[in-house]
Amino acid sequence: MSNLENLCCPLDQSALQRQERTLVCAHGHSFDIAKTGYVNLLPVQKKHSKDPGDSKEMVASRRAFLSNGYYDPVIEAVLASLPDSLASANSLDVLDAGCGEGHYLRQLTEKLSATRDVSAVGLDISKWAITDASKRSKTIDWIVGSNAHVPVTSGRFDWLICAFGFPVFEEFHRVLNDAGYLLLIESGADHLIELRQVLYPEIKPYRATFAEGIEGFDLVQEKNHRFSFSLSTQEDIGQLLSMTPHIHKAPYEGRKAAQALQQIDLTADIKLRWYQKQGKSHAK
Ligand SMILES: C[S@@+](CC[C@H](N)C(=O)[O-])C[C@H]1O[C@@H](n2cnc3c(N)ncnc32)[C@H](O)[C@@H]1O
């Protein structure tokens, strides 16, 4: 069951205690638990826009696309690459930071729970994403909040996932325990190359992210995982487009050409990078 424990007040970072349908801190700030079970820990003062994160439409597209299973090989690749100490642990405390509508966290939690206790938290700045996620899993704690100020106690997690998201490494470092792992899932050089060739007049050269390393973390494993899939309806192609940044970045002509496609064979090229938090003596 979701329990909403070990959370912090987003206004003053003090511990939140549950009082029936509300979380309350020692200074009297209170946050109601929504009917579907999530809690919004993104106060107006910390919002940079009225409706931050993915829109209702983007969330609906991602849900529809992912629930068709097109990206499920990513989940298999994550499980296959799990570091030994996580794979053999009897219990796992995991955070998906920027979890979207929760497809990956839900699947991973379900699979890993077969052989160990899993306590999972999904955090996203989009209230639409978290509302959707909270309707479909009651065993995960779902929180509206920002990676910039993760509203949880320090040193809590064994594992933090950031998939196609917006990492804030200082915060990730803080909320991981001393030997905790950070998994970054990102696009590789050829990710959706066939779609990008339709969208853009010219494909920009691939630039690796965080090539200089990440302060406070050691890179312990890097894997590229490629697989192919085909979309054979305009609806599926439109949903994929709507859940990628290309929907905003691609020129109008490119988007029009993509939206007119009836079928496309695609390459998924995913980069999985596992980092381990450096010991206390190394961390900043
Ligand atoms: C490309 S989507 C990826 C969603 C999910 N991880 C997946 O792979 O299906 C990026 C997500 O990050 C969320 N997001 C954007 N800025 C964020 C922030 N500062 N903190 C937490 N989530 C954020 C968006 O609302 C969106 O759901």
Side-chain angles (χ1 to χ4, degrees):
M1 264 305 277
S2 138
N3 55 32
L4 298 169
E5 281 172 358
N6 299 315
L7 301 178
C8 292
C9 174
L11 295 169
D12 59 27
Q13 284 72 53
S14 61
L16 288 171
Q17 304 295 339
R18 187 168 182 159
Q19 291 178 0
E20 297 182 5
R21 303 293 301 169
T22 306
L23 299 183
V24 185
C25 84
H27 305 103
H29 302 124
S30 71
F31 304 88
D32 290 342
I33 299 168
K35 271 200 198 113
T36 54
Y38 76 86
V39 63
N40 189 333
L41 297 180
L42 187 70
V44 180
Q45 300 91 307
K46 303 255 162 145
K47 277 190 192 179
H48 297 298
S49 73
K50 192 161 169 274
D51 191 12
D54 278 10
S55 65
K56 191 174 183 182
E57 293 70 31
M58 288 171 86
V59 169
S61 291
R62 178 170 291 109
R63 184 209 317 120
F65 181 85
L66 292 176
S67 65
N68 280 330
Y70 294 120
Y71 274 10
D72 283 2
V74 176
I75 294 161
E76 297 310 323
V78 170
L79 291 171
S81 66
L82 215 59
D84 288 346
S85 62
L86 294 185
S88 61
N90 293 327
S91 67
L92 275 180
D93 217 333
V94 56
L95 169 68
D96 187 345
C99 62
E101 48 66 68
H103 181 78
Y104 296 117
L105 186 61
R106 223 171 28 251
Q107 301 278 329
L108 287 167
T109 304
E110 250 169 49
K111 289 182 197 280
L112 290 166
S113 296
T115 45
R116 78 214 78 205
D117 290 334
V118 179
S119 163
V121 177
L123 175 82
D124 201 283
I125 205 165
S126 160
K127 68 171 185 245
W128 306 110
I130 292 297
T131 302
D132 195 281
S134 63
K135 287 180 186 160
R136 285 175 309 127
S137 167
K138 303 294 176 194
T139 57
I140 294 172
D141 283 352
W142 300 107
I143 301 168
V144 178
S146 172
N147 290 351
H149 306 280
V150 180
V152 302
T153 49
S154 299
R156 169 172 172 185
F157 295 104
D158 306 305
W159 177 19
L160 192 155
I161 304 165
C162 183
F164 308 103
F166 300 88
V168 179
F169 296 116
E170 270 191 17
E171 272 299 85
F172 291 179
H173 192 276
R174 182 183 66 79
V175 300
L176 278 170
N177 66 31
D178 277 346
Y181 285 92
L182 163 65
L183 171 64
L184 290 186
I185 306 178
E186 294 185 338
S187 307
D190 291 332
H191 190 52
L192 306 180
I193 184 70
E194 302 84 354
L195 181 62
R196 287 192 282 138
Q197 281 161 349
V198 175
L199 288 167
Y200 298 98
E202 198 186 333
I203 302 292
K204 287 197 184 137
Y206 175 76
R207 291 228 323 263
T209 55
F210 318 116
E212 66 294 350
I214 301 172
E215 199 180 347
F217 289 95
D218 292 321
L219 179 63
V220 291
Q221 192 191 149
E222 177 162 354
K223 273 207 158 98
N224 270 75
H225 185 66
R226 291 171 74 102
F227 56 94
S228 305
F229 64 102
S230 299
L231 301 181
S232 50
T233 66
Q234 271 186 332
E235 191 184 16
D236 282 4
I237 296 167
Q239 283 163 354
L240 174 61
L241 187 57
S242 302
M243 63 178 246
T244 70
H246 307 303
I247 189 73
H248 302 301
K249 288 203 302 205
Y252 174 75
E253 294 73 24
R255 279 181 282 137
K256 225 170 107 184
Q259 276 154 356
L261 292 169
Q262 306 283 342
Q263 194 277 336
I264 187 164
D265 296 327
L266 289 160
T267 303
D269 177 10
I270 307 294
K271 199 183 268 293
L272 301 183
R273 275 182 288 180
W274 285 94
Y275 296 84
Q276 190 168 26
K277 179 168 164 172
Q278 287 170 353
K280 274 185 182 149
S281 54
H282 298 102
K284 32 188 189 152

